[in-house]
Every structure is written in structure tokens, then in C-alpha cells.
Amino acid sequence: MSGNVQILMGNHAAAEGALAAGCTFYAGYPITPSSEILERLAEKLPAAGGAFIQMEDELASISALVGAAWAGAKSMTATSGPGLSLMMEGLGYAAITETPCVIVDIQRAGPATGQATRVASGDIIQVRYGSHGDYCPIALSPWSVQEMYDLTIRAFNLAERYRVPAFVMSDESVGHLRESVRLHRDFEIVERNRDIKKPPFGTDAPDGVPPMPAFGDGANLLVTGSTHDEWGYRRVDHPDQHTRLVGRINKKILDHADDIVEVDARFLDDAEVAVVAYGFTGRSALAAVKRLRKEGVRAGLLRLITLWPFPEKEIRALDGQVEKIVVPEMNRGQVAGLVRQHVRGDVVSLCQTNGEAIEPVAIVDKVQEVLA
Amino acid sequence: MTRAMEHWLRTEHTAFCSGCGHGILLGCVIRAVDELEIDRKNLLFVSGIGCAAWIPSPNIQADTLHTLHGRAVAYATGAKLANPRLTVIVVSGDGDLSSIGGNHLIHAARRNIDLTVVCGNNQIYGMTGGQTAPSTPVGARTATDPQGNVYRPFDLCAVVRAAGAPYAARWPVTRPMSLIDSIKKAVKTDGFGFVEAISPCPTQFGRRNRLDDLTKLYDHLVGLCVTREEAKKMKPEQLWERFVIGEYHD
């Protein structure tokens, strides 16, 4: 175990994770409850040799992110619901151009301006389906300040490994939580393959991830958001090229679900009821499961650390093993709906959209209700 | 092809309509970077969406980034900050840069980021079928203003100058030597340089405005150009259907 232990706010830990992962470019726009990330990197990124810029809006932020990534940077932004909505077109551009970048989303109560300082987890479906067309981003969901640090680092590595936008889908409660975090260096850093001799937008290799040279490497790159062939030439009326490109950018993520998906399973071996939770709600869910165990209920927790690609295999493993699945979440059942797609048994949704975190007692009550 | 064209063009044909001014502008951009002897390896072209955005991509043999509609300047800002060794030239259209992308244009000028922005201004949305742009002259007919546009157009050189750009210039493509000279000056400007090229669009603008004949269209365009000296003697509303040509700098 290396690294010093500090008491930090979750948002500051995400900024520290970015620095540890080798982030060299940050572009952002102030938005509650994510602004502490912007402010911390404004102070620390230039001192670490990177570039920081506050852009004119979120449309510009995600655009600058992609421009910087192609100039060789590891780039990041942070935002919340309204800003994330503005970034949707740029997200699609990052996906089709296979641009690694990291977006930290500190979720707040929506839709629209909603309650800016209040917690929610209403953006889960949006990041997967909010941009038009088919694409598959990576999304990780931290439940602690430590995971704000660890998962930001992992998001950078996965973004580079798979040439894809990667999200840290946090929420206001984790973002503003203060607790101890170990700023360790116990991880590998994934570096980009900048081979200029191979095509940057197509590969026959089974992993489906082509090399990505940077501007200035002498590759005479053609980068476009239009459908393109493996060298980047626009092919906007060619059915096969479109099929091949859209197929590969989705497949390269879905085929590697085993590498990307991470879950935290607790007390599941003998469980009759499973609570499936993520983000801050995972903390309440663990407390609820422990309380239920004390009362003699065989409850277990499956905490989703990866949200996208969705942990289908891990969810399917619950089917038949547990009698009931309870999904507490701070939205109208976004993940519960996904869980239902993969199991035949009962999936009970515990929705809370009042701008407050779900308390353990609410989960305990719901589990007892479904078992009654 | 000339030596400069052979050196810089990827292909021998472009997607532009016959009579389009953007081919001339492509030639001007290439001659400017060729005469400046810019190292191709560290030269990046960025464009948005629309006809003018196809001037660099895929025509020019250098790094090119063909982005989303309106966002070219924001992408260029990120690339320039991430690698300051790059010479970054944005080439895009009037609608792309000043309508959907207007915010990025004024903020890049305000920050005085070391970018060159070349605006191919054909006064209309060409690629989408001839709709009104923020640069359409008063009175001109378009697909969305069949009775003629009533709103005054942006004076883009004045806009970027007011936002802080140290260098701006406007020339029609009928003055290629002036355009080449201004593009070179904009690239050499330590900060934000802006060049607006007035470019005729026969397919969408010409045929809606009884200027089907190419020579008529080019004569019409030349006739609308007035120098800054001449413009001083005219009323502002007279300039809403004209182009004031020349350079603006400190």
C-alpha cells in the first residue's frame, strides 16, 4: 500500500485521480454540483504541466476535449445533468471518431434545472442512449471518495485501452462527501498506440481497437464524424462501410465486457433476496443488508461498479438463485428496467426522486414488504 | 497541377459544384501555407459542417479534423492548447462559424487564442438546400426567405474585431492575391486571425436570385464590393447588401 491518506471531498478525489492517471488537458464549464473538480484542476493541472481552460459552454468543453485528445492529450471534463445534456452530440462524435476522453458526471435532480444542489442518479440511460445512433460508452459508478479516485484512474485507462469516451457516473452525495482516501500509485497507466503505419479507423485484429496517432505525428490524419473508411475518408453513401463502422465501435466494447465489468458482491452466496444498487445508494443498500441479516433475513448485495456495458452476466447469475431482487435508485427505475431484461424472477423497483439520498430503513422496509 | 497543388492536395477532384468559389479559396489556402513554408507535420486544419468545411477535408494533405456543425473553433482551441507547436487553421462556412458556432467564434477572438479562422462566406446554407444564413444580404432570396431576406447580416470582421481579434480581413475570391496575402498575415499573427472570403454559390444562391449565368454571378459579387474608404461615405443600411473589403488590424 503506497500513497498518503487524506480527508478529501469526492470531487477533489476525482481531480486527484485525473492527475494520477496522467490527465494533461481539462476543459469545463461551471455547474453545480461538479464545480470543485474544475476549480481543483484549474489550480493543479497547469502546475503538473497540463493545460486547463474554462470554456464558454459545455458544447465547447466536449469539443475541446476531443480536439485535445487528437493532439495527444489525455483529456477530461466534469459536469452535471444540464451540461451533460448539452454534451450529447459531442459524445456521439467522440464515439464515432473513437476518441478516448473522460467525463465525470456528478448527477443532480432533474429534468432540466431541477434541484441543482440535490442528489439523483437520473443520467444512467442518457449516457448510453442520449446521443443519436448506436454507440457504447463505458460508465463507472463510485460509492465512496476512494472510488472517486480509483475509478477516475480506471476510466482514463479504459478510455485509452478501448478508444472510447468513459464516464465516471457519480452523484451529488458522493461528490460532496468528505472521507479518507489513499492517494496511491498502485496501478498501471495505459498508453495509446500511436503507430502511424496502420489505419487509424479500422482493424482486422480481434480486439477491434485500431492505433491512434496524434496530430503532429506525421500521419496526415483524416478525422471526421461522418461515416468513414479505415483511413478516415468520408463514405457517406456506402451501406457496408456504415454497417462495419457502427458494428465495430459497439462490438469492441461489448466483446470486452468481462474485462470492463466490475461488481461488488456481498452476502450473496446463500441469499434469498438480492439488493442491486450503485453509487451513493450502494452505501445505504449495504447498511440495509447488514440490518436484515441481523433480523434473520438472508439478504445480499450486488453493487454495480460498472454500469455500461451493463453487467448482464452478473445479473443473470442471480436468476434462480434469489427469489426476489430489489433495486433502490434515485430515479424512476432506470436500472430496475435493465435488470428486468435479464432475469425472469421478480424485480422490485424502489424509486426515490425527492432530491434526497435513499436511507437504509427504506430499503429494509421494501425488502420485508416483498418477502411478506 | 502546379507544384504547390501537387504538394498539398490529396485528390485531383473536389466535391464542389461548378462555379463554386470554394475551389478558389482552397487554392488560396494552399498557396498561403506553401508560401509560408509551414512544416506539414505540424499543420492542422479544422472544419465544421457545410460546403466550406469540405475545403480542407479530405482535400488537403495534412492533419485534418472535420467536426460537428458549429464547433470547429472549440475543437481547434483544444488541439492548440494541448499541442502549442501546431499551426491550427480553421476553414469553415458563414452559417457554421457565425450562426450555430457564433459563441465559439467570439470567445476564441476574446481569448486571442493563436488560431487562424478562414470563413468561406457564400451567404447561404448551400449543403442543406439554400436557406437563409446570418450573412445573407438584405433582399436576397433563399429557400426560407422566398420574398427576400429582411434581417441585416453580420459584419463578421467587425464582430471578431470587437471581441478582440488583432487581425481581420475580407476579400472576394475574385481577389485571390489579396486573400493569399491576408491568410498569410492571419497565420503569422500572434493570436487570433480572421479572414472572410466572399464566395459565390451558383447552385443555391445564384439560381434563386436570377444570377444563373456564372459570369453574371461573379460580376454581381464584384459589384457589391466596396472599399473601406467608399463605405465611410455610405449609410449603414446601404451596407447590409454589400461587402466592405479590406484589412482591419491595430
Side-chain angles (χ1 to χ4, degrees), chain A residues 29-318:
Chain A
Y29 185 80
I31 185 166
T32 305
S34 76
S35 297
E36 295 85 1
I37 301 172
L38 174 90
E39 290 162 8
R40 188 150 180 124
L41 286 169
E43 185 191 336
K44 297 189 97 174
L45 187 55
F52 171 93
I53 186 166
Q54 182 177 321
M55 294 301 283
E56 52 273 21
D57 56 30
E58 288 90 346
L59 307 169
S61 298
I62 193 153
S63 301
L65 220 59
V66 172
W70 278 99
K74 289 189 174 180
S75 57
M76 182 172 105
T77 191
T79 190
S80 188
L84 186 73
S85 294
L86 286 180
M87 289 181 184
M88 281 298 113
E89 191 190 14
L91 172 63
Y93 186 92
I96 200 171
T97 55
E98 303 177 74
T99 306
C101 54
V102 173
I103 301 150
V104 181
D105 177 23
I106 309 298
Q107 295 171 86
R108 70 188 224 190
T113 310
Q115 294 185 317
T117 61
R118 297 297 185 146
V119 69
S121 50
D123 307 350
I124 311 301
I125 299 295
Q126 187 189 14
V127 300
R128 178 71 170 81
Y129 296 103
S131 197
H132 55 284
D134 293 281
Y135 64 100
C136 192
I138 288 171
L140 312 175
S141 175
W143 75 336
S144 64
V145 175
Q146 186 65 55
E147 280 194 352
M148 286 293 274
Y149 179 78
D150 292 343
L151 296 185
T152 302
I153 294 164
R154 184 151 198 260
F156 270 98
N157 280 341
L158 289 171
E160 293 294 332
R161 167 72 185 84
Y162 294 107
R163 276 187 63 182
V164 69
F167 286 88
V168 178
M169 301 285 293
S170 187
D171 54 53
E172 189 277 334
S173 294
V174 176
H176 285 161
L177 185 67
R178 284 176 170 84
E179 61 186 3
S180 61
V181 51
R182 185 180 293 277
L183 303 178
H184 62 84
R185 298 276 167 167
D186 305 330
F187 51 85
E188 301 279 310
I189 299 253
V190 176
E191 296 297 347
R192 216 170 280 177
N193 173 3
R194 281 162 66 157
D195 185 353
I196 66 167
K197 296 202 181 70
K198 293 197 181 116
F201 300 104
T203 177
D204 295 327
D207 82 343
V209 185
M212 179 179 170
F215 298 141
D217 284 354
N220 292 330
L221 285 163
L222 285 167
V223 183
T224 177
S226 300
T227 298
H228 43 270
D229 67 16
E230 68 269 29
W231 289 102
Y233 282 92
R234 275 193 299 280
R235 296 286 182 252
V236 293
D237 54 1
H238 201 298
D240 292 343
Q241 292 283 2
H242 195 69
T243 306
R244 198 178 311 150
L245 178 62
V246 176
R248 187 175 54 75
I249 64 172
N250 284 277
K251 221 168 154 309
K252 73 179 180 182
I253 305 302
L254 298 170
D255 282 359
H256 292 93
D258 283 348
D259 177 40
I260 302 164
V261 167
E262 195 183 348
V263 296
D264 177 9
R266 308 207 186 190
F267 309 108
L268 272 176
D269 290 346
D270 65 341
E272 56 185 326
V273 58
V275 180
V276 174
Y278 55 93
F280 191 84
T281 308
R283 300 168 80 103
S284 299
L286 179 60
V289 164
K290 285 180 175 170
R291 200 173 303 174
L292 286 159
R293 286 264 161 188
K294 273 189 192 154
E295 292 172 16
V297 177
R298 283 181 287 119
L301 169 68
L302 183 69
R303 185 169 68 89
L304 309 182
I305 300 172
T306 303
L307 289 174
W308 299 116
F310 193 66
E312 298 174 9
K313 202 170 77 181
E314 292 73 12
I315 295 288
R316 272 200 299 273
L318 295 176

Side-chain angles (χ1 to χ4, degrees), chain B residues 88-101:
Chain B
V88 182
I89 303 177
V90 175
V91 186
S92 217
D94 42 306
D96 186 81
L97 289 166
S98 75
S99 186
I100 189 169

